[in-house]
Amino acid sequence: MNILFAFLIIATLSLILGLGLAFAAKKFAVETDERADEILAVLPGANCGACGFPGCSGYANALSAGTAENGLCPPGGVKVRELVASILGVASDGGGAGEKMVAFVHCRGNNELTKRDFVYEGIEDCNAAHLIHQGDVACKYGCLHLGSCIKVCPTQAISRDDLGNVVVDPELCIGCLKCTLVCPTQVIKMIPYRGSHAIACNSLDSGGVVRKICSVGCIGCKICERKYPESGCVVPNFLATIDYSREMAQIGEAAEACPTKCIVKAR
Amino acid sequence: MEFLATFRKGGVHPKDKKELANRQPIEPFTAVSELIVPLSQHTGSPAKPLKAKGDVVVAGEKIGESTSFISANIHSPVNGTISDIKKITLANSVISDAFVITVDSENPFGKWSLQERKEYTGAELLNLVKEMGIVGAGGAAFPTHVKLSIPRGKKVNDLVINGVECEPYLTSDHRLMLERGEEILEGILYVAKIVNPQKITIGIENNKRDAIDNLRQIIEEKGHPIEIVPLKVKYPQGDEKQLLKAIIKREVPSGKLPLDVGAVVVNIGTAFAIWEAVALNKPFIERVVTLSGESIKDKKNLLVPIGTKVEDLLKLTACEETDNYIAGGPMMGFAFWDTTTPITKGTSGILALAPSKKGRVTTPCISCGRCITACPMGLQPTKLYRLIDHGQYEVAMANHLMDCKECGCCAYVCPANLPLVHAMKLGKRVGRK
């Protein structure tokens, strides 16, 4: 008999509580956009923050709510932009991330090749070094080689090579721009992934100044631009740049002819 | 024994080394050939150049105009020609455009004579301070007219004159107080006319007894309404906030200005510059610079035109070979390597210390808490250092990183030799972005 009472009490109690929960679930239901979950599944999931939102879920929520522009995800590129557009039911009309861009350190001036103004013995951080006379490297546009970008890279795409230069692996780079934001000299810039070559110099100093302080810097001699017009090289000031929108047929020859060899293979 | 006012919390006692240069009278420096006059010598926006390459300038002529409220005019210190305008990096790592002035070798300097005395109103004096490009001579070079512009509704109870000079080695303010006491006191009265304080006090550290006695004597003779308070020798007694704690016994709240506790603090060098501006109609084109340090044989206090290259000064002092130059004092000054760096309005001294030992050895923080005891602002440098080291800049800001004024007490006492001040500077720079 006792056992029956216990059974009945528990059964009634659980019925009341169960109904209460069912009511609360209906009454206080939080409306979620199913599309946000779908978008989150499509996004790369690197949580790199390049879109400007707190992680991939933040961006997915903003997209489904219509407060964010499509195509802000550099790691996802065109593929993700189109997938997101199909989920949202809108046209994918370019804008934002187009072709895959990767970071490139526009400097090959390591400790031996570039002059130092003084001995820096402070904190091992590029921004800390930059506080003191814009760093110990005589060239104020170049890489400080203290590796702040290596620390922030979410995919370990940045490393030091055998010569002590900081290099980005284009295969691992997801184009999140974190390194370009942390770099105090802005020597890291984005180049198209398909680009075979890049200029390994960022110095706007005149040729004479560059020659004095660095043996691998661009001196603005314009050989690449004049002799190899099909190379895609343009020299608007004392620094050559590559116009990646053009055909770069002669870039290999131009790299050979460069007197300071600062046109280097990007991959 | 006389009771000496001081601030309570924190502070350190470095060797003051003032005896190296405090007996050298101020000498004018005349061997100028080329000056580099930067357009951004002050806190705030850089001045706009009024002259171009090739223009002839006369001493005292305005060559840079202030561009906003917090900015200052720049004047040519000498007669000469502008041979170039170039970008330079100052000793404190500020990048600035600078006039390169080739000095007229026959008639380099302007003549400054006493003007006829006249009664100025406060507004006229304030305008004069602004026009003459006067900035704080203590080091931070904050435009003085901004400090002296009292917003409507605020009242100044105390005008505190900072004659502390707590940085080791530096003696420029000390010499000024000894040799130009009367002028400084008059300059202080001009400041008082602008801000209308109820009380004027001069705070001087007790290691400058002769300066205290000298000024007291003049005050007694002339009957100036100025009081002199000798202060305990303790670094950073000369910081604005510590000075106010010692003299008016009030603490400036975090993120506020001295004016919020009804006080205005003006440096001795600034008071002298204001006297020059009013009495001689001379802009801020010269300042007293201490040349001291172990590598300098003939220590000197020189009256130097703004823009003089450091190497020109060092030639005069039989400086030995060293790589350890500092602009300002050893605690808060800036190490520099390029001796073509010019003297600016905020440079109170050039030190050439003994050659530095290479290879900084740091050990991990042992949490001894000495930096916390030493910090005059009541911060926890060890905690801030850890946060900045881990890249948690926002948390560091929430722990009042911005209250740090980089006085260097924490790094001075740190047994692990950690670069604490450097980390604070880094944290401020990244955290502000």
Side-chain angles (χ1 to χ4, degrees):
Chain A
M1 207 54 197
N2 281 347
I3 200 153
L4 195 66
F5 274 130
F7 179 76
L8 279 175
I9 288 167
I10 296 295
T12 343
L13 201 63
S14 49
L15 191 70
I16 296 165
L17 290 175
L19 284 173
L21 280 175
F23 174 75
K26 277 271 177 240
K27 171 95 181 165
F28 304 111
V30 181
E31 281 194 32
T32 50
D33 197 336
E34 279 170 25
R35 296 182 305 174
D37 294 336
E38 282 177 46
I39 294 171
L40 186 58
V42 173
L43 290 174
N47 288 324
C48 66
C51 51
F53 291 91
C56 292
S57 66
Y59 184 46
N61 288 334
L63 275 171
S64 65
T67 51
E69 197 185 325
N70 188 10
L72 293 180
C73 180
V78 185
K79 208 174 112 202
V80 163
R81 192 185 72 206
E82 274 162 9
L83 283 170
V84 169
S86 70
I87 293 169
L88 292 173
V90 294
S92 168
D93 52 349
E99 64 173 324
K100 182 178 174 182
M101 302 289 276
V102 291
F104 186 82
V105 186
H106 293 260
C107 180
R108 288 290 178 272
N110 61 16
N111 283 342
E112 282 93 57
L113 300 172
T114 312
K115 223 182 101 190
R116 307 273 138 167
D117 280 337
F118 54 94
V119 182
Y120 174 75
E121 289 182 341
I123 301 170
E124 284 240 349
D125 180 285
C126 299
N127 278 301
H130 198 255
L131 282 173
I132 300 162
H133 301 248
Q134 285 82 51
D136 56 341
V137 184
C139 172
K140 300 305 175 198
Y141 302 92
C143 178
L144 296 175
H145 301 103
L146 290 166
S148 287
C149 50
I150 299 176
K151 276 183 233 157
V152 296
C153 181
T155 59
Q156 279 91 49
I158 313 178
S159 59
R160 279 200 184 87
D161 67 5
D162 306 337
L163 300 167
N165 286 318
V166 176
V167 289
V168 183
D169 183 344
E171 306 303 327
L172 290 175
C173 178
I174 56 168
C176 69
L177 304 172
K178 274 196 169 172
C179 49
T180 62
L181 294 175
V182 79
C183 180
T185 57
Q186 273 115 43
V187 69
I188 308 182
K189 294 194 178 90
M190 305 306 284
I191 60 167
Y193 173 73
R194 63 181 165 79
S196 60
H197 286 72
I199 308 289
C201 183
N202 190 38
S203 170
L204 294 172
D205 280 333
S206 65
V209 176
V210 173
R211 267 209 189 282
K212 249 183 246 166
I213 56 181
C214 178
S215 56
V216 289
C218 175
I219 50 173
C221 65
K222 304 200 181 203
I223 288 177
C224 51
E225 185 184 24
R226 270 199 238 124
K227 282 203 181 158
Y228 304 97
E230 295 302 307
S231 65
C233 292
V234 215
V235 192
N237 34 30
F238 290 106
L239 178 62
T241 47
I242 296 179
D243 184 356
Y244 288 100
S245 64
R246 281 165 51 186
E247 284 282 316
M248 292 159 50
Q250 289 181 317
I251 190 77
E253 288 102 314
E256 274 299 307
C258 177
T260 54
K261 297 279 175 288
C262 73
I263 304 176
V264 298
K265 278 205 166 81
R267 243 175 302 144
Chain B
M1 201 185 128
E2 194 177 8
F3 167 75
L4 294 174
T6 183
F7 62 99
R8 285 266 185 81
K9 202 190 287 169
V12 292
H13 298 274
K15 275 193 192 124
D16 71 3
K17 309 249 183 154
K18 304 252 187 206
E19 70 284 353
L20 294 177
N22 66 5
R23 295 219 176 73
Q24 308 295 327
I26 300 171
E27 302 163 41
F29 176 75
T30 51
V32 286
S33 57
E34 192 181 71
L35 297 186
I36 302 174
V37 184
L39 282 162
S40 180
Q41 305 183 20
H42 44 262
T43 309
S45 43
K48 184 179 79 191
L50 293 178
K51 296 279 171 186
K53 198 171 158 177
D55 286 357
V56 174
V57 290
V58 292
E61 190 180 352
K62 188 154 83 176
I63 52 175
E65 188 165 40
S66 74
T67 45
S68 66
F69 181 55
I70 303 180
S71 183
N73 290 336
I74 308 286
H75 300 80
S76 171
V78 287
N79 301 322
T81 330
I82 293 175
S83 52
D84 198 5
I85 297 179
K86 63 174 183 184
K87 226 173 205 47
I88 59 160
T89 305
L90 303 179
N92 58 0
S93 296
V94 170
I95 306 170
S96 165
D97 283 326
F99 289 112
V100 181
I101 302 178
T102 312
V103 182
D104 181 354
S105 53
E106 289 181 5
N107 175 27
F109 299 108
K111 303 261 182 300
W112 307 102
S113 53
L114 272 177
Q115 303 281 309
E116 220 176 296
R117 243 172 213 281
K118 57 176 176 181
E119 279 299 311
Y120 287 100
T121 64
E124 278 169 355
L125 284 171
L126 184 61
N127 197 34
L128 201 61
V129 167
K130 188 177 180 188
E131 204 46 44
M132 294 301 181
I134 291 171
V135 302
F142 191 75
T144 304
H145 68 267
V146 181
K147 216 182 225 183
L148 301 185
S149 303
I150 312 299
R152 232 170 249 275
K154 295 250 167 148
K155 249 190 81 185
V156 178
N157 293 322
D158 293 272
L159 172 61
V160 179
I161 306 299
N162 188 346
V164 177
E165 201 166 49
C166 59
E167 279 267 9
Y169 292 97
L170 302 185
T171 54
S172 53
D173 286 354
H174 184 185
R175 289 313 302 181
L176 265 180
M177 288 189 281
L178 275 180
E179 296 175 31
R180 304 290 172 88
E182 286 184 31
E183 289 90 331
I184 289 170
L185 293 173
E186 264 181 51
I188 293 170
L189 294 180
Y190 290 133
V191 178
K193 185 110 195 188
I194 300 174
V195 297
N196 287 321
Q198 288 174 356
K199 200 173 165 208
I200 311 172
T201 324
I202 307 179
I204 303 175
E205 233 177 28
N206 203 36
N207 56 3
K208 295 180 261 295
R209 281 309 319 186
D210 45 355
I212 297 174
D213 294 341
N214 179 39
L215 290 186
R216 273 198 176 145
Q217 198 188 338
I218 301 169
I219 288 171
E220 214 167 285
E221 277 169 23
K222 304 251 170 156
H224 290 318
I226 301 174
E227 193 195 336
I228 293 191
V229 180
L231 298 165
K232 195 176 161 188
V233 181
K234 180 166 151 187
Y235 181 87
Q237 192 73 263
D239 177 78
E240 219 165 49
K241 295 192 172 178
Q242 266 48 255
L243 186 64
L244 290 178
K245 265 191 218 172
I247 290 184
I248 68 169
K249 312 271 182 276
R250 289 189 69 180
E251 182 163 338
V252 182
S254 165
K256 298 279 169 109
L257 297 169
L259 199 55
D260 293 301
V261 296
V264 168
V265 183
V266 171
N267 188 273
I268 284 285
T270 318
F272 182 65
I274 291 173
W275 176 82
E276 282 190 321
V278 179
L280 303 179
N281 205 17
K282 178 182 168 188
F284 195 6
I285 53 172
E286 280 183 325
R287 65 156 299 139
V288 182
V289 175
T290 303
L291 290 163
S292 186
E294 278 74 15
S295 290
I296 287 183
K297 280 211 188 101
D298 304 335
K299 284 110 184 153
K300 279 180 195 306
N301 294 294
L302 293 174
L303 186 64
V304 179
I306 304 293
T308 307
K309 283 183 268 183
V310 170
E311 57 182 10
D312 291 346
L313 297 177
L314 292 177
K315 264 180 230 158
L316 211 71
T317 56
C319 182
E320 288 167 17
E321 184 102 342
T322 180
D323 57 349
N324 207 350
Y325 299 109
I326 296 173
M331 298 295 282
M332 281 190 76
F334 301 95
F336 64 97
W337 59 276
D338 181 7
T339 50
T340 56
T341 302
I343 299 290
T344 63
K345 290 177 183 177
T347 316
S348 42
I350 294 291
L351 307 181
L353 306 179
S356 56
K357 293 188 201 95
K358 291 284 172 302
R360 183 191 181 103
V361 181
T362 59
T363 53
C365 171
I366 53 167
S367 300
C368 65
R370 281 193 214 173
C371 51
I372 299 174
T373 324
C375 181
M377 299 306 285
L379 304 175
Q380 299 182 47
T382 164
K383 186 177 178 186
L384 293 173
Y385 178 78
R386 211 164 298 168
L387 288 170
I388 293 163
D389 199 28
H390 296 178
Q392 308 219 347
Y393 301 106
E394 278 162 36
V395 189
M397 298 291 259
N399 279 282
H400 307 283
L401 174 60
M402 290 317 277
D403 279 351
C404 169
K405 51 201 163 57
E406 303 159 15
C407 66
C409 290
C410 51
Y412 180 79
V413 296
C414 182
N417 199 17
L418 293 170
L420 291 164
V421 182
H422 192 184
M424 304 302 154
K425 287 186 181 180
L426 168 68
K428 282 184 190 181
R429 167 157 149 173
V430 182
R432 247 186 295 206
K433 266 195 204 165

